[in-house]
Structures are given as C-alpha cells and as structure tokens.
Amino acid sequence: MAKQVKLKAEPRSETGRSAVRKLKARGIIPAVVYGGKGKPQPLQVSARDVDVMLSHASGENILVDLEIGGETRTALVQEVQHAPVGSKVLHIDFHAVSMDEKLEADVPLEPLGIANGVKNFGGLLEQSLRTLS
C-alpha cells in the first residue's frame, strides 16, 4: 500500500483570478478536492507544505490525508499544474477516495539504467508502454 502523507488545507471562499493572485502572493497554492459523495470543494494549501510533499514523493500519484477544518479526507493527487518557466506549483487537484472502494489510476513507467544493447552495440531503446493502469 502507498505511504500516506498528511497535508493541512483550509477551505477557500473566494475564487477567481484576483483572489488567486492574492493567495499566491502570500505563499499559498489554490487547490480543489472533488469526487466521492460531496461537491467539489475549493481549498488552499501552504506552498511550503506542498513542496515538501512533492520532494519526498517518487511520483505524483500520492495518497494524502487532507485535514480540512478538523475533518480528515483521504484523497489522491490527481493533477499538479506547474509554471511553464521553472518548477513552481500553480494549482493542485485532489480526487477524494474511499478506502473501501477500488480505484483505477494510471502510473507512469520510467526505464532505469542503460540497456546492454544500447550501451555496447549502438542500439536504440524503443519504449512502447509509457503508463500502466
């Protein structure tokens, strides 16, 4: 089973471009949690906490315990939007999951090392499978 990370989040009442600019100026990243039985809920999380979470993860398929106003929701990091220049996180989408239901997710495959045929014989690595469900 995947290692779960705790992340403190707060509900966000204001949405829109100007509200997001104000959040980012204070070092806060806008986020949203959707799925499950509830409505999508806009959130805000600390940029520092998100950077720590992403730096310790091997990929972006991370199981997170979101602490929202005293309530804990288990969620999967669905998408992380990065700035086109640099690696600054702009927005995070969380998908709420129930621990007693099955969930299907795509996991990226990355080859490690150098193949013997490529290294010694001038071959070319052709990767036909990029993700695994």
Side-chain angles (χ1 to χ4, degrees):
M1 175 165 268
K3 182 179 166 186
Q4 286 183 304
V5 179
K6 291 187 186 267
L7 186 64
K8 198 168 219 173
E10 298 174 10
R12 146 173 86 100
S13 59
E14 296 180 9
T15 58
R17 189 176 295 171
S18 63
V20 168
R21 273 194 215 130
K22 290 175 186 175
L23 286 176
K24 289 180 183 177
R26 293 187 347 221
I28 297 173
I29 298 174
V32 66
V33 61
Y34 59 89
K37 295 177 175 68
K39 292 181 179 178
Q41 181 180 13
L43 302 173
Q44 59 188 28
V45 292
S46 168
R48 184 169 188 245
D49 293 343
V50 170
D51 289 339
V52 169
M53 175 187 71
L54 292 176
S55 68
H56 293 331
S58 59
E60 289 188 351
N61 291 325
I62 307 165
L63 201 56
V64 179
D65 281 334
L66 289 173
E67 295 177 18
I68 308 167
E71 179 185 333
T72 302
R73 289 180 76 176
T74 305
L76 187 67
V77 175
Q78 186 72 26
E79 182 181 4
V80 179
Q81 296 175 2
H82 296 277
V85 177
S87 61
K88 189 174 181 181
V89 176
L90 298 176
H91 188 271
I92 299 179
D93 289 337
F94 295 103
H95 186 86
V97 295
S98 176
M99 295 306 283
D100 58 351
E101 294 178 9
K102 286 187 178 183
L103 178 69
E104 188 172 318
D106 290 332
V107 178
L109 297 176
E110 297 178 12
L112 296 176
I114 300 173
N116 188 26
V118 173
K119 183 178 180 181
N120 297 327
F121 303 109
L124 181 66
L125 178 65
E126 198 171 304
Q127 183 180 356
S128 60
L129 189 61
R130 304 252 180 223
T131 61
L132 185 65
S133 292

